[in-house]
Amino acid sequence: MTERPGRAGRSGGQAGAGELLELVRSGRAVTRGALQQVTGLSRATVGQRLDRLFRAGWLREGAGGPVGSPLGGRPSITLEFDGSHAVVLVADLDTRHARAAVLSLTGEILAEHSGTLVVEDGPEVVLAELAHWFGELLEKAGHAAAEVSGVGLAVPGPVDSETGRVVQPPMMPGWDGYDITGRLSRAFTEHTGAPAVPVLVDNDANLMAYGEQRAGHPDCRAFVLVKVSTGIGAGVVVDGSIYRGIDGGAGDIGHIRVGADALCRCGSYGCLAAVASGGAVARRLAESGVPAASGADVRDLLAAGHPEAAALAREAGRRVGDVLATVVTLLNPGVLMIAGDLAGTPFLTGVRELLYQRALPRSTAHLDVVTSRLGERAALIGAGALVVEHLYAPERVEERLLALGV
């Protein structure tokens, strides 16, 4: 049978196994017939390429679909991505706290741990401890280290996505330019004895935005998340992909100058983070005699209904809302999500007051301003999705199948 022109791929100029897997994973084509129709490949060629994916354990047959012909007949057998053949390890570093988990390939949390981990202790100490956590989590989840297909890490600083290294991070002293991916990969092997696996690193706000957009707003073509905790950062997802800028600096709104004279951790004066972050609110509370040393302390005070904390959070929200009016005008997002330690009613009220006052009505007419849906797990879910998309990207599938001998 002559092949009809199909979508370009890695196999002979036509759709290869990676493209077929992508079509199934995305739901665009989930039967053999649909794959033939979309790609233009013959039935035999589709069958050959699917057979490789079945032998790798990446695909499985699901329930029969609806009968496609009005004359009746056997229902089409659907194809499904098999998320049980491997697991992913993920972690989210904050300045004084971290959270780690084992995830299935479909994003289900299989085991989770959180605890104190001080980023200022440096990458050697922090990454070795994370690897130790990973070993314990795998045992808790009942999975062997050999089942791990990749590791995802969220960090509170700008990341060059090409190298996985943080670039001049104000809140991560000693980490600038450090080989995070190489060290974490070696630490994982040292603690578990498993072979090295890919390690992907990205900014925490980016991964929070990625996780939240995929989980709760998959149809939103322009999505912005603002994390307000010890510092302030934003993640932007456009057409389903993280927008990072040319070297990972996109979204670093905490260092926009707002005309104040407060000294920021980056060394400059007047940054938004210096006057409106959780850390800034904590300092003002401490100066007035209220025990608070971090954004987490402010979060606890807000949960307890502390009036001064609420007033300062609302004021911080107004400052952030003033900056976000420009962000919204520039990007015209469908969803603006507020997340982090200050993401409660007082802060959100302040954001809305200034945002709707300063931004053009055209920019906010179809804008939803919401709070986090995934909460403290957002970056974990986003990190897992980033690793899975990397591992099963069409251009990478062929080399992985060859490595497996299928």
Side-chain angles (χ1 to χ4, degrees), residues 281 285 298 301-302 306-314 346:
V281 172
L285 287 168
V298 178
L301 289 168
L302 291 171
H306 192 282
E308 188 172 354
L312 290 174
R314 182 169 178 171

Side-chain angles (χ1 to χ4, degrees), residues 253-272:
I253 65 170
H255 300 287
I256 292 175
R257 304 291 177 84
V258 293
D261 59 1
L263 177 64
C264 182
R265 295 181 66 161
C266 72
S268 298
Y269 286 88
C271 294
L272 180 65

Side-chain angles (χ1 to χ4, degrees), residues 105-127:
L105 295 180
T106 54
E108 177 187 1
I109 294 180
L110 306 177
E112 185 177 8
H113 174 74
S114 63
T116 300
L117 201 54
V118 181
V119 75
E120 290 186 357
D121 287 343
E124 290 286 338
V125 172
V126 170
L127 297 178

Side-chain angles (χ1 to χ4, degrees), residues 57-345:
W58 298 356
L59 276 188
R60 65 187 175 198
E61 291 185 341
V67 175
S69 168
L71 300 177
R74 295 171 58 188
S76 300
I77 299 299
T78 59
L79 303 169
E80 300 174 350
F81 178 64
D82 189 345
S84 66
H85 67 270
V87 294
V88 172
L89 296 171
V90 292
D92 177 20
L93 287 182
D94 207 333
T95 53
R96 305 190 64 81
H97 181 271
R99 185 177 296 270
V102 182
L103 301 186
S104 72
L105 295 180
T106 54
E108 177 187 1
I109 294 180
L110 306 177
E112 185 177 8
H113 174 74
S114 63
T116 300
L117 201 54
V118 181
V119 75
E120 290 186 357
D121 287 343
E124 290 286 338
V125 172
V126 170
L127 297 178
E129 183 63 16
L130 271 185
H132 177 69
W133 287 11
F134 285 155
E136 293 183 337
L137 282 168
L138 284 168
E139 184 176 349
K140 181 179 177 181
H143 284 273
E147 296 177 76
V148 176
S149 58
V151 177
L153 177 64
V155 297
V159 176
D160 183 340
S161 62
E162 294 296 320
T163 65
R165 299 173 187 245
V166 291
V167 182
Q168 300 177 1
M171 295 189 295
M172 301 178 70
W175 291 73
D176 184 23
Y178 184 85
D179 182 17
I180 297 174
T181 58
R183 182 65 188 104
L184 186 53
S185 180
R186 292 193 300 273
F188 171 69
T189 298
E190 291 164 5
H191 278 79
T192 66
V197 296
V199 176
L200 275 67
V201 183
D202 209 330
N203 171 261
D204 53 0
N206 283 348
L207 292 179
M208 290 174 71
Y210 197 45
E212 294 277 8
Q213 188 270 337
R214 290 170 63 94
H217 305 273
D219 297 326
C220 181
R221 295 182 57 195
F223 178 96
V224 176
L225 178 143
V226 179
K227 179 187 178 184
V228 187
S229 291
T230 302
I232 299 176
V236 180
V237 179
V238 177
D239 290 334
S241 298
I242 298 172
Y243 179 74
R244 300 181 176 90
I246 60 170
D247 61 3
D252 203 3
I253 65 170
H255 300 287
I256 292 175
R257 304 291 177 84
V258 293
D261 59 1
L263 177 64
C264 182
R265 295 181 66 161
C266 72
S268 298
Y269 286 88
C271 294
L272 180 65
V275 295
S277 65
V281 172
R283 285 193 298 275
R284 292 189 61 183
L285 287 168
E287 289 168 1
S288 65
V290 179
S294 66
D297 293 334
V298 178
R299 178 191 61 207
D300 294 340
L301 289 168
L302 291 171
H306 192 282
E308 188 172 354
L312 290 174
R314 182 169 178 171
E315 180 184 332
R318 288 173 58 84
R319 285 187 175 272
V320 173
D322 196 9
V323 169
L324 290 179
T326 301
V327 172
V328 165
T329 301
L330 179 65
L331 296 178
N332 189 209
V335 175
L336 171 63
M337 178 174 284
I338 307 298
D341 292 331
L342 296 193
T345 300

